[in-house]
Amino acid sequence: MILFTSRFSKNQTRKVALLLAAFLVSGSLGSLQGQDKVALVLSGGGAQGLAHIGVLKAFEEYAVPIDLIVGTSAGALVGGLYASGLSVEQLETMAKDGTIMELFLGRTELTDSPVWLRRDQADGNFSIRRSKDRITGPPGLFNDQLIWRDLFLLTAPATYTAQGDFDSLYIPFRAVGAEVVRQESVVFDSGSVAEALRISMSMPMVYPAIIRDGAIYMDGGLYNNMPTDIARELGADFVIAVNVDDVPPAVDNLKDVFDFFDFYSGVLFSFSDSASVSGWDVFINVDTKGFNLFDFAQGDALIQRGYEAGVRTVEQIVKQLDHQEEVNENRRIQYQSGLDGSTIRDIRWVDLEKGNVMDPPVDLVTSFSYSSRNITDMIHSLYATRRFDLIIPSLSASGDTLILTIRSKAPLQMIPEIQISSVNGFNILGNWESRPVNDKYILRSRAGLGNYEGGTRITLRPNVFLSSWAKEETHWFWEGQLFADYRVVDNITDDDAVGMLTAGAGGAAHRVVDWNREWVAEATVRTTRWIHLSDTLTPDYSRAVYPRISVRYESNHIRQTIPVVEGWRIAGEVLAGYWDQVEFYGGHGSAELGLPLGTAYHGFLKADYQKVTSPAPLFESAGAELPVAFTQSRYLDYRAYGALNITAGLSRTLFRDDILVTVSTHQAYLEKRIFTGSDGWNRSVDISIQYNSILGPLELGWSVLDDDGYRLVSWTRLHIYF
């Protein structure tokens, strides 16, 4: 619920009026039980807001009483979680292990989707949607699906215990947001703590704005980044203001995208600058110079900065107060355990756009114990149906009804991609998804066109809800596919080029063991045609239609996507086919292991091995690889007996971006090789440095090929998701 609003069209008049109001209100309300009513006001500042945790740590050590917390943006997040009963130790751990960074990122992991969806997910956020005769783009830079989920799980017990009254939380709390249509600051004093925090941290363009009843809510820092006036209006006698938002870099010192974002956000929030606001008794300015809005990986250092600033001023604070107060650990725990042992007996569905209760789009089991794991599993299972664009969980006042506020996906969505390679040229692709026949099926297609390669794949499968949460659980489904591809290899001779056309169809049956494991039986029929592009009317030779069948098992427990790999995966496959009047049989196995090497570093090791009885085409043998710089010749040296690939990598996380260094070794026994004219082992190494931004990866690499003498070739690749 919104408590009150303040209009800021005339800044100087506003400040005078608020100070007068603060004086009158504080004078009329007086102190709390004869003691000073102490308010802690926390500014916004993105990742720099992690320094607030250090200030809270210092306050706890010196028993500084806190009777009210008022926060904006990152200050609302830290203050709201603390007011909900999370301890400083919990917040400190969440900041150091990357949990808060993941909360801000909303970055999906592999295990957020079931194993059968992990192979064909497009990574772009900038999907183009067609719905109700409108074509729309993304609502924000970051996806907020998991932000809603995590905020709910962190605050639901406290919201329930306080019955939605922010004055009844472990510490009374207010979150400040901005309503941009009326250009007003808004203050939330009741309702869902998760929703109040989500609104307060809605940084423009980064996170989707929250639209309610014709109002558009965004980051509270737009109009009031240091809400000391709110604390005074609520009767605070003693206001401690904590600023973590440093001065943006000078124009001459702008070095990267984060510096530019710091600069632009500083301009955007300039008239609510934390350092220029009065109305406080003690002002703590945490030195966050050298950190930007996105330095979430520096949680340890930022907390230390906040702690040092808190310790420097805590003696001054204690001297001015008439009492001190130790943390009531038992009471705090009550706010975190308020839903322990409770049972969800009903599920209510609400349409986000219309606001009305709707018929259940999915028939779920409706009696289960409340737990973070159960809620997480249910939400992930619902997203796996590909029917929902957003799911916002909340609880009824009684705590026994789970409310799922949903926004359905548009009937048609497309994520465009651009691939540019120094080896394979330019390629533009589109990833399409629709749900025909009343959401009963999922139709996906991937189409690309480039100067060296292109093609399309169309996949259709039933839109089944594969989860123990469904009343009618399904453990298997079918999948059909049509495909057509082309590849061009030029500069083979001075005046010639070679091309290959491929077309075919396939089908698969998936037997789902659980969320991370499945069996897949697959059959495909394919035909290929090789041609000289300089003489397209006279083909070099053609291949007849030929079949391939395989049975694959996969157990995928990798929790994060490359390059931030954590967990393990094993897969095995037996295959058989008929190629060039020769039958072949074989097997294919792979294993992958990823380990965290600190907060920001991850390492991984991947091995892939394949063996067949007779030479099989490389495009049927997923395990046979050649180095990146020589992929154009891959389809000329087109038959292989077996292959072994080993890849080791180290990644470094930088907020949403990552840096990945990999070394890959490839060994394949090839037959009828074009360049050497003899059969034998082909040994090669790829070394690459890859920078993964939110738009996609930029990669620089070197390939070494042992082919009757070593050859070294450098290459670059750029992959842009929209």
Side-chain angles (χ1 to χ4, degrees):
M1 178 181 175
I2 301 172
L3 178 61
F4 51 82
T5 63
S6 301
R7 186 174 297 274
F8 296 135
S9 55
K10 296 182 179 180
N11 199 36
Q12 297 299 324
T13 304
R14 172 182 65 83
K15 286 186 178 181
V16 173
L18 289 177
L19 287 175
L20 180 60
F23 174 78
L24 294 174
V25 171
S26 60
S28 62
L29 293 180
S31 299
L32 181 66
Q33 297 179 348
Q35 298 177 338
D36 291 330
K37 182 177 181 179
V38 181
L40 178 63
V41 179
L42 305 177
S43 78
Q48 297 160 329
L50 298 177
H52 289 311
I53 301 173
V55 175
L56 290 170
K57 182 178 180 179
F59 281 14
E60 282 197 359
E61 288 184 5
Y62 289 85
V64 175
I66 303 173
D67 302 306
L68 171 68
I69 297 177
V70 182
T72 293
S73 195
L77 177 68
V78 173
L81 295 179
Y82 188 70
S84 296
L86 272 73
S87 67
V88 166
E89 290 76 14
Q90 287 174 295
L91 293 173
E92 195 169 8
T93 299
M94 290 168 61
K96 293 179 179 180
D97 67 9
T99 300
I100 291 182
M101 180 172 68
E102 292 297 323
L103 175 64
F104 270 88
L105 289 177
R107 192 173 189 174
T108 57
E109 299 181 355
L110 278 178
T111 46
D112 294 338
S113 298
V115 65
W116 59 90
L117 290 178
R118 296 174 195 172
R119 288 174 175 267
D120 59 356
Q121 280 187 315
D123 294 331
N125 285 332
F126 296 93
S127 57
I128 300 172
R129 306 166 173 88
R130 184 183 184 279
S131 179
K132 298 178 181 178
D133 298 323
R134 292 186 303 165
I135 296 178
T136 60
L141 191 62
F142 293 162
N143 191 315
D144 63 341
Q145 292 177 348
L146 303 184
I147 298 175
W148 280 107
R149 180 204 67 185
D150 291 343
L151 287 176
F152 168 74
L153 293 175
L154 287 167
T155 61
T159 299
Y160 169 73
T161 302
Q163 287 294 286
D165 180 4
F166 290 6
D167 281 331
S168 299
L169 292 170
Y170 169 63
I171 297 175
F173 171 68
R174 297 294 186 272
V176 178
E179 205 290 287
V180 296
V181 174
R182 296 188 298 271
Q183 298 184 17
E184 294 176 341
S185 179
V186 295
V187 181
F188 297 90
D189 74 329
S190 62
S192 166
V193 175
E195 183 176 53
L197 300 185
R198 173 64 188 83
I199 289 175
S200 188
M201 60 181 281
S202 297
M203 191 178 297
M205 297 181 294
V206 177
Y207 304 104
I210 309 302
I211 301 175
R212 296 283 188 274
D213 301 323
I216 301 177
Y217 298 105
M218 288 188 178
D219 193 296
L222 281 172
Y223 302 134
N224 199 349
N225 200 41
M226 180 65 80
T228 53
D229 54 306
I230 307 302
R232 290 296 188 190
E233 291 179 24
L234 292 171
D237 302 298
F238 192 87
V239 175
I240 305 169
V242 182
N243 175 54
V244 297
D245 192 10
D246 69 329
V247 177
V251 175
D252 294 339
N253 295 328
L254 300 180
K255 299 177 181 178
D256 54 31
V257 65
F258 303 115
D259 288 338
F260 275 97
F261 202 95
D262 256 355
F263 177 79
Y264 292 140
S265 64
V267 173
L268 187 63
F269 298 153
S270 59
F271 59 89
S272 64
D273 183 20
S274 305
S276 66
V277 175
S278 56
W280 40 262
D281 296 283
V282 173
F283 184 80
I284 302 176
N285 188 50
V286 181
D287 178 15
T288 56
K289 186 177 181 180
F291 299 94
N292 60 56
L293 294 172
F294 301 114
D295 267 336
F296 288 93
Q298 302 299 319
D300 200 357
L302 284 163
I303 290 173
Q304 184 62 28
R305 292 277 186 97
Y307 177 75
E308 292 170 356
V311 169
R312 283 195 298 269
T313 56
V314 73
E315 186 175 345
Q316 171 193 353
I317 294 172
V318 171
K319 285 181 178 179
Q320 296 184 59
L321 297 177
D322 55 8
H323 70 291
Q324 291 178 269
E325 187 175 339
E326 300 286 345
V327 173
N328 188 331
E329 188 66 21
N330 291 332
R331 183 171 175 271
R332 186 191 65 76
I333 292 175
Q334 290 176 3
Y335 281 85
Q336 281 296 288
S337 58
L339 290 169
D340 289 359
S342 62
T343 301
I344 302 297
R345 305 188 184 280
D346 191 21
I347 296 177
R348 186 189 311 158
W349 298 82
V350 177
D351 186 291
L352 178 62
E353 295 181 353
K354 298 179 180 178
N356 60 294
V357 177
M358 57 186 294
D359 294 332
V362 179
D363 200 6
L364 300 178
V365 174
T366 53
S367 182
F368 58 92
S369 298
Y370 173 88
S371 70
S372 294
R373 179 173 181 176
N374 283 342
I375 299 298
T376 297
D377 287 348
M378 175 177 287
I379 290 175
H380 287 175
S381 297
L382 288 169
Y383 279 129
T385 66
R386 315 294 292 180
R387 300 174 64 175
F388 305 106
D389 197 43
L390 182 63
I391 301 171
I392 302 175
S394 59
L395 285 177
S396 64
S398 60
D400 61 357
T401 299
L402 178 65
I403 303 169
L404 298 176
T405 303
I406 64 168
R407 183 175 64 226
S408 297
K409 275 194 171 184
L412 179 64
Q413 294 194 99
M414 190 271 281
I415 297 177
E417 301 177 39
I418 295 177
Q419 298 178 358
I420 304 173
S421 168
S422 62
V423 177
N424 292 323
F426 177 86
N427 199 268
I428 184 167
L429 304 97
N431 300 278
W432 303 82
E433 182 177 302
S434 62
R435 300 181 310 283
V437 194
N438 297 324
D439 282 344
K440 291 184 178 180
Y441 300 94
I442 292 180
L443 179 63
R444 308 191 70 182
S445 64
R446 178 178 173 86
L449 180 67
N451 57 340
Y452 284 114
E453 59 185 356
T456 185
R457 271 165 172 65
I458 301 174
T459 305
L460 178 69
R461 70 169 175 85
N463 191 1
V464 291
F465 185 68
L466 300 166
S467 169
S468 57
W469 296 107
K471 290 185 177 179
E472 297 181 2
E473 184 178 3
T474 306
H475 288 281
W476 74 273
F477 64 91
W478 58 263
E479 191 171 41
Q481 186 179 87
L482 297 173
F483 54 88
D485 302 289
Y486 70 87
R487 177 177 288 263
V488 178
V489 185
D490 69 1
N491 298 323
I492 301 304
T493 64
D494 291 338
D495 59 353
D496 206 356
V498 174
M500 186 184 71
L501 304 177
T502 304
H510 293 249
R511 176 63 172 89
V512 178
V513 180
D514 55 33
W515 191 259
N516 297 307
R517 297 179 296 164
E518 69 169 344
W519 289 89
V520 182
E522 185 176 18
T524 59
V525 178
R526 181 191 303 260
T527 182
T528 61
R529 182 181 179 91
W530 291 76
I531 59 176
H532 284 297
L533 297 187
S534 61
D535 189 7
T536 57
L537 297 178
T538 306
D540 240 359
Y541 53 89
S542 298
R543 296 295 184 190
V545 174
Y546 62 93
R548 174 187 184 272
I549 60 173
S550 72
V551 177
R552 181 178 75 248
Y553 170 76
E554 182 174 3
S555 183
N556 190 337
H557 299 266
I558 292 178
R559 292 180 290 279
Q560 297 178 304
T561 56
I562 289 177
V564 186
V565 176
E566 186 175 333
W568 59 272
R569 170 187 172 271
I570 59 171
E573 181 181 30
V574 293
L575 56 92
Y578 186 79
W579 164 258
D580 197 17
Q581 300 181 346
V582 177
E583 297 175 352
F584 66 87
Y585 308 92
H588 175 213
S590 63
E592 187 172 357
L593 176 65
L595 297 171
L597 304 174
T599 302
Y601 292 90
H602 280 77
F604 72 91
L605 182 66
K606 181 168 59 176
D608 202 301
Y609 177 74
Q610 182 168 278
K611 179 68 176 176
V612 291
T613 56
S614 300
L618 284 172
F619 40 80
E620 289 292 351
S621 308
E625 299 263 354
L626 285 179
V628 171
F630 301 96
T631 52
Q632 286 195 45
S633 63
R634 173 178 176 177
Y635 286 90
L636 297 177
D637 297 333
Y638 63 92
R639 297 202 293 185
Y641 274 105
L644 172 64
N645 308 312
I646 298 176
T647 301
L650 176 67
S651 67
R652 170 72 162 87
T653 298
L654 305 168
F655 186 57
R656 182 69 187 232
D657 303 339
D658 309 283
I659 296 176
L660 172 67
V661 179
T662 59
V663 177
S664 301
T665 63
H666 314 295
Q667 297 189 74
Y669 192 92
L670 304 179
E671 187 181 75
K672 294 185 177 180
R673 294 188 292 172
I674 299 298
F675 292 108
T676 64
S678 62
D679 301 341
W681 284 99
N682 179 280
R683 297 177 176 86
S684 55
V685 176
D686 275 339
I687 301 172
S688 72
I689 301 174
Q690 179 175 311
Y691 175 70
N692 279 18
S693 73
I694 189 172
L695 295 179
L698 171 63
E699 192 171 7
L700 173 64
W702 299 264
S703 294
V704 181
L705 180 66
D706 179 10
D707 192 6
D708 293 335
Y710 290 97
R711 286 189 289 166
L712 174 64
V713 179
S714 62
W715 47 268
T716 57
R717 289 192 297 196
L718 174 63
H719 192 157
I720 302 174
Y721 293 108
F722 287 92

